[in-house]
Amino acid sequence: MKPPETKVYKRRWVILLLFVGVVVFNAVPWMQYSVLADVVSTYYGVSNEMIEWTILSYNVAAMMLIVPAAFILDKYGLRPSVLSGALLTAAGLWLHVLGCWPQHWWAVLAGQAVIAIAYNFLCTASLRVAAVWFPADEASSAVCGFLIGSMGGVSIGCFLASRTARASWTQEENFEGFLTLNMSLAVAATIMLVAVFFLFQQAPPLPPSPAQAAATVAASSGHGHFFKSLRSILKHPSFILLIICFNLMYSAYTAFLTVLNRDIMEFFPERISETGYIATLLSLLGMAATMIIGIILDKTKKFKELSLITYFGALTSIVMYSICIATTSMEVLYVVVGIMGMFMSGYFVTGYEMAVELTYPEPEGNPTSILKWFVQPCSMVAALAYSRLFAAWGPHVAHGFLVVLLAAGFLAQLCIPKRYRRLEAELALSEAAASGGGRRGGEPLIRRPES
């Protein structure tokens, strides 16, 4: 039988650019208020715990909506999902404009909630963009687009927040700073929404790779039933291990960033205004590491090896941070946090790619949605526990908590087997095509692997 027809389109870069642009605007507000916790607390008259909910709102929204968002992606495809993400992001940023007035803290929280809802549509679509538009040797790099956009948005938000308001400024000066930043973001996000509406396409006419062609056939033949797919994914023991590993890494990452402002205030109170710059450095170096890891994955397909390297690096760097913050200078801390950002962020791209490899031929958005759903309650509990340990027992006990999380995750990562189903299918289909097709009449392109 004739092998599936494939084609790679240049337009894929336009699609990726539009998607990354939406992700950037969605990520900017994530730490916008928490890195200015000392300023925001005074300006709005709210507690540090209330400010932490500007980050934790993402967790709550994902717990409730990540699976429905994945269902919409599975049923209606990429364009409705990305368009929904762009629309809700713009709406949330306009609510932030309303929240610039000190008496409108409720609008800040409402805006964060709407933007957090938008994140679910974008997160579940990230792997689908890579699979639907990009060939196998570019898929990992395309997945990096989502992570780079997310970290780039966080770094932009942290950097601009640090230049928007200061504890030494007057109430009027801080109001002008908040208004200028949020109005600019809202207008730019609205322009991005218009661009997505007119330029973002659902899918190319032909799939970019044999594996994607086979997955499309499997979905159209009934294998892609959403809830059946979720049940099938959760029967993979190796995927359950990946959930644990990804959970622990993401929990440590979220907890660290949620309380970063208080950490710096504890040891370097005279340089508290640099919290945003530290978070920016973490995100920027994380972006660079993500891009490098993605390219290496595309070239080598060494998923487990790279996941172990990045996990061990993250564990080592959090130990270094725990020691250095109390014993060295702020300059050394910048270096250590940069290293931490590289390894932690570098792990995420390997985690997402391993999720697809371990569960192929299930639709790419489904393992992603399961990963993200499980991490939300766990990372929220971890962040709250870290915050309470910090307040009750001090920073050293809290830092030890993060070390324990990453040590347990590294041990679990060691146990994940090297079974890459998508790569195996890609190689088998390529060999079949090279030999003039090796399937018998009526035999499917791929078989659903046994759990």
Side-chain angles (χ1 to χ4, degrees), residues 70-382:
F71 176 77
I72 291 172
L73 174 68
D74 187 71
K75 186 173 180 62
Y76 299 105
L78 269 177
R79 178 176 161 80
S81 293
V82 176
L83 192 57
S84 298
L87 176 62
L88 290 169
T89 296
L93 289 172
W94 280 110
L95 278 170
H96 277 188
V97 174
L98 181 60
C100 292
W101 282 263
Q103 64 271 29
H104 289 171
W105 174 249
W106 64 268
V108 173
L109 290 179
Q112 287 293 98
V114 172
I115 294 167
I117 293 170
Y119 173 78
N120 295 286
F121 291 97
L122 301 174
C123 174
T124 54
S126 58
L127 291 174
R128 183 69 65 88
V129 170
V132 168
W133 283 94
F134 287 82
D137 59 352
E138 295 176 354
S140 296
S141 298
V143 171
C144 291
F146 168 74
L147 296 171
I148 290 172
S150 183
M151 287 180 283
V154 171
S155 64
I156 292 170
C158 292
F159 178 78
L160 293 178
S162 297
R163 304 181 68 84
T164 296
R166 297 283 175 88
S168 58
W169 291 2
T170 66
Q171 191 88 336
E172 291 73 19
E173 288 173 328
N174 284 332
F175 169 76
E176 291 176 4
F178 283 133
L179 185 62
T180 300
L181 174 59
N182 288 314
M183 181 67 76
S184 301
L185 290 172
V187 170
T190 302
I191 294 172
M192 179 59 68
L193 169 62
V194 173
V196 169
F197 182 81
F198 286 105
L199 299 176
F200 196 93
Q201 293 181 346
Q202 177 85 313
L206 293 172
S209 67
Q212 180 58 29
T216 302
V217 170
S220 63
S221 65
H223 291 299
H225 187 275
F226 180 71
F227 293 104
K228 180 180 178 181
S229 172
L230 296 187
R231 289 194 297 270
S232 176
I233 289 170
L234 289 172
K235 291 179 181 178
H236 291 284
S238 53
F239 183 73
I240 299 300
L241 282 173
L242 180 63
I243 289 176
I244 295 171
C245 302
F246 198 93
N247 238 318
L248 294 172
M249 177 68 80
Y250 194 87
S251 295
Y253 184 80
T254 301
F256 172 78
L257 289 176
T258 301
V259 191
L260 179 59
N261 184 270
R262 291 161 64 184
D263 223 358
I264 302 302
M265 176 68 81
E266 178 76 19
F267 293 99
F268 302 98
E270 72 284 356
R271 302 181 71 172
I272 186 62
S273 62
E274 296 182 40
T275 302
Y277 300 137
I278 293 176
T280 300
L281 178 66
L282 182 144
S283 297
L284 288 175
L285 290 181
M287 289 168 58
T290 297
M291 186 161 44
I292 293 169
I293 294 293
I295 293 172
I296 295 173
L297 280 176
D298 278 332
K299 301 298 182 184
T300 66
K301 305 299 182 183
K302 301 290 186 181
F303 300 101
K304 181 169 182 177
E305 291 82 355
L306 286 170
S307 67
L308 288 172
I309 290 170
T310 51
Y311 222 117
F312 183 76
L315 172 60
T316 304
S317 61
I318 199 69
V319 172
M320 292 169 57
Y321 174 84
S322 304
I323 296 171
C324 291
I325 195 170
T327 59
T328 60
S329 66
M330 189 72 159
E331 287 68 29
V332 174
L333 196 67
Y334 270 98
V335 175
V336 174
V337 170
I339 295 171
M340 186 191 310
M342 292 175 64
F343 284 114
M344 282 187 161
S345 301
Y347 174 77
F348 294 138
V349 65
T350 63
Y352 283 129
E353 283 292 278
M354 283 189 76
V356 176
E357 292 291 339
L358 294 171
T359 60
Y360 182 86
E362 307 299 343
E364 298 81 5
N366 294 356
T368 308
S369 67
I370 293 174
L371 273 183
K372 295 299 288 185
W373 188 89
F374 275 101
V375 302
Q376 303 313 320
C378 293
S379 60
M380 185 171 69
V381 169

Side-chain angles (χ1 to χ4, degrees), residues 377-392:
C378 293
S379 60
M380 185 171 69
V381 169
L384 291 172
Y386 182 62
S387 176
R388 299 301 180 270
L389 286 171
F390 193 100

